Every structure is written in C-alpha cells, then in structure tokens.
Amino acid sequence: MLEYPCLTSDPVAADAIFVPYYTGLAALPFLYSPAQWNFSALHGRDLAKWLIRRDRPAIWSRFGGHDHFLAVAGSASDFDNDPAQTPLWGTAFLGLPEFYNVTVFTLESRAWSLQEHAVPPPTSFHPANLARLDAWLARARRSRRPTLMLFAGGAAPGSGRPNVVSSIHAECELRRDLCELVDCSGGVCIHDPARFMRPMLRARFCLQPPGETPTRRSTFDGILAGCIPVFFEEASAASQFGWHLPRRRYDEFSVLIPKEEVMFGGQRIADVLEAIPPARVRRMREAVLELAPGVMYRRHGSSAALRARKDAIDLAIEGALRRIQRRVQAIQQAKDALLLVGDNEEEWDE
C-alpha cells in the first residue's frame, strides 16, 4: 500500500481510506487462548470504537464507513459468526454492524457476501523486476506438457462418503499414463513450491476440486505455471475473485466439470479433457498466462518497470475504489448504497 502512487496523508482529501488493521493477527487470542474463546464477539470492537469515536469521527461519519477498506488474511467464513452466539470456531468481525459498510479483502468470500471481496492468496512467486517476470512466463509458454492432468493436494478423505477428491484419486490411480498426483499431505508443499510447480509446468490441466473450503491456492500456482484450471463447482472460482479472474471469460481459460457428474454420473475427467481440440488448449493456455501477472504479488521494493504492470494488489485496490465510488455516489444521491451489493462489480469496464 505504501508504494501505491496516489496516496495522501489527508483523509479529508481522500476518495478512499485504507485501514491497516492486522485482522488475522488480532483474531489469534480469540481462536487459541482458552480464556478468550467465549469472547470472540469482541474481535474488532476496539477498532470500531477507535474509528468511529476516537480518531477522526467526522471522517467516518461522512459516509458511514462506505469509503473505508481493509484486508483479512483468511476466509470470510472464519470471521462471520453471529456476535450474539457462542462460536465453535472463528470470530464475529464481519458480523459487527459497525463494519457492514466497509469493503474487505478476504482470501475467500461467502456465498452471499455483504462487504467482502475475494482476492488471490499469495503464491510462492514474488518477482522483483520485469525481466524476472517475463523470463518466468516465457518458461511456462515453452514448457513441454506431456501430462494431460495433475492434482496437487492432500490424500483422499477416508470418510467413505462420495466426494470429488476421492474420485480424482481413483481415476488418477487407474490412468497413471494421463494423470499425475502430487501428494501435499502434512503440509509438505507449503515451503517447497518446486514439489508442485515443476509438475504443473509439465501438465496441460490442473484439477482444482473443493476441499474443506471451496477455493484452493493451487488454482493460482497453476495459473502462474500456465496450467489450465479445471473446476468442479462455481464456488471454487467463478463466484469468487471477480476483480482478478473476470467471470465473463471463464470459458476462455478454464474447464468446468460438475462434481456430481464425476461422483455419481460416471463421468471420466480424462475423457472430457482429451476431447478438447489441441488448438483450443493452446488458446486457453495463452489466456491463462495473460492472467498470470494479475494474480501474483510482486516483491516489495520492485523495479519501476514491474510496478507499471498491474499485480494482484493493484487490481484489488482498483476494484475497491470502483465499489467505493459507486456507493459514495449513491449516498450523495440519497440512495441506499447497500442495494448495490452483488451488482457484478467485477464486470465493470476500466
């Protein structure tokens, strides 16, 4: 944020105000300290009091927080508890009425998001200059891809109930000539990106099924590798990340195979992917690589040439500014700004 070119130290002159609150860190006592488990509804109340009453109350009150935005290092579902209920997990940060109007960056949004918008989780690639980015994209373009499809993730669940991850494992075990499994069980891939990035560079398609939550960081690792994502439900991407992966373009860079067809309809994933003509596969891969610069987070202090390319932060800020501008205009016209929620903001033209 401090590298953003259009900053002002005067909030009165600002079109939007970023709140540098470390939401995830502030949540830790309520998640891991037994003495505070029953007080998670307090998460964020100190921030609300500071913004509304103690700091510059007139700044907040002019638009009721509609011109403020902040970031949450996690899924929105971990912060959307009812403040009046005792939670099993998570906090009520997003459930506080004081923050209903604030735009929030999260790593995954809810099915019916009110104030949050999902942004890509950081991958392991953070270039410092344009030459490094261009060299990586050139490598992904020229990479030979003998593997039809790849799945990088944990082992198949052992519950015995039907799920798409188990179906993927079963098909890959039967078709080792077409599918590669990268076992990331136990967190072994977290600090060893080469374990999955090298196989992704060899694969044409990367399977991105939902896990404990609908989205996967692996989607964005795969995009950087030029590996075409294969989704199994819209909640995994098409209803998320609209500022970075335009919904109207999903057919150009991804494949959707409904998970029900795989689990219960006998649909073989490999059959669907093998039926895609090679020329279309090449076009899809090029579309994926065109999106790659916008889903990576460049290194802090990077070169001016690289900063001229929009990365994930640039696109997120632009999206927030568009949303805030629309809401502020609605307030100035005596309209209800919250009626604009879900108005396909990601589809706006620049």
Side-chain angles (χ1 to χ4, degrees):
M1 285 300 302
L2 293 177
E3 291 183 341
Y4 197 71
C6 301
L7 299 180
T8 175
S9 58
D10 181 7
V12 176
D15 294 316
I17 298 171
F18 176 69
V19 182
Y21 181 67
Y22 289 82
T23 316
L25 292 178
L28 294 179
F30 303 110
L31 300 178
Y32 297 106
S33 175
Q36 298 197 55
W37 281 346
N38 293 329
F39 300 97
S40 64
L42 297 178
H43 179 211
R45 290 193 184 275
D46 54 347
L47 174 65
K49 290 179 181 178
W50 186 79
L51 289 170
I52 298 171
R53 301 175 187 173
R54 293 172 52 195
D55 180 40
R56 302 274 297 271
I59 299 298
W60 178 273
S61 63
R62 63 180 181 175
F63 297 118
H66 278 290
D67 56 345
H68 287 57
F69 68 107
L70 54 81
V72 170
S75 170
S77 60
D78 289 336
F79 301 91
D80 73 341
N81 289 321
D82 184 342
Q85 302 293 325
T86 300
L88 295 176
W89 173 258
T91 78
F93 182 84
L94 294 178
L96 296 179
E98 295 91 334
F99 293 125
Y100 282 172
N101 299 341
V102 176
T103 294
V104 181
F105 300 155
T106 62
L107 299 182
E108 181 178 88
S109 63
R110 295 164 290 185
W112 300 102
S113 60
L114 176 65
Q115 65 269 65
E116 81 273 8
H117 198 291
V119 299
T123 65
S124 299
F125 182 58
H126 308 286
N129 54 64
L130 185 58
R132 180 71 185 277
L133 173 62
D134 287 343
W136 173 263
L137 294 178
R139 177 184 178 186
R141 281 191 173 91
R142 67 173 181 266
S143 181
R144 298 184 62 188
R145 298 179 184 267
T147 305
L148 174 67
M149 59 188 191
L150 172 142
F151 173 64
S159 63
R161 292 178 294 181
N163 65 82
V164 69
V165 174
S166 294
S167 298
I168 288 171
H169 274 267
E171 182 170 347
C172 285
E173 291 292 344
L174 288 173
R175 300 301 307 271
R176 290 179 178 270
D177 57 323
L178 298 176
C179 182
E180 181 173 356
L181 289 171
V182 178
D183 187 4
C184 290
S185 301
V188 297
C189 294
I190 293 176
H191 299 296
D192 185 10
R195 180 187 290 264
F196 55 84
M197 289 301 289
R198 287 196 179 101
M200 284 180 172
L201 286 166
R202 297 193 300 265
R204 282 166 271 170
F205 296 93
C206 283
L207 310 182
Q208 307 295 351
E212 294 181 358
T213 63
T215 65
R216 301 173 62 85
R217 183 192 119 166
S218 172
T219 297
F220 300 94
D221 293 314
I223 288 174
L224 285 169
C227 191
I228 300 165
V230 179
F231 299 114
F232 298 87
E233 62 179 29
E234 286 205 352
S236 293
S239 60
Q240 315 258 355
F241 312 116
W243 293 338
H244 299 79
L245 303 178
R247 185 163 186 164
R248 64 183 180 275
R249 293 189 58 198
Y250 264 77
D251 288 344
E252 299 175 21
F253 66 82
S254 70
V255 178
L256 175 64
I257 305 174
K259 61 184 179 182
E260 294 79 11
E261 295 181 8
V262 176
M263 293 187 296
F264 307 115
Q267 178 65 69
R268 296 292 183 185
I269 301 169
D271 292 344
V272 175
L273 301 182
E274 283 191 304
I276 301 175
R280 186 184 173 203
V281 172
R282 289 192 294 271
R283 290 195 301 270
M284 294 175 76
R285 183 178 308 119
E286 187 57 33
V288 165
L289 291 172
E290 288 176 2
L291 293 169
V295 303
M296 65 88 185
Y297 293 79
R298 61 177 174 260
R299 188 178 298 277
H300 178 69
S302 58
S303 69
L306 183 58
R307 291 201 301 272
R309 289 270 193 101
K310 294 176 183 178
D311 75 343
I313 286 289
D314 293 320
L315 295 180
I317 294 174
E318 288 182 356
L321 292 178
R322 290 194 301 267
R323 171 182 281 196
I324 288 169
Q325 181 184 40
R326 266 193 102 201
R327 293 185 176 186
V328 168
Q329 288 176 347
I331 292 171
Q332 292 171 335
Q333 296 169 7
K335 298 178 181 179
D336 186 349
L338 287 182
L339 292 178
L340 301 175
V341 172
D343 244 14
N344 290 327
E345 293 160 318
E346 68 272 14
E347 299 296 343
W348 300 348
D349 293 327
E350 291 292 325

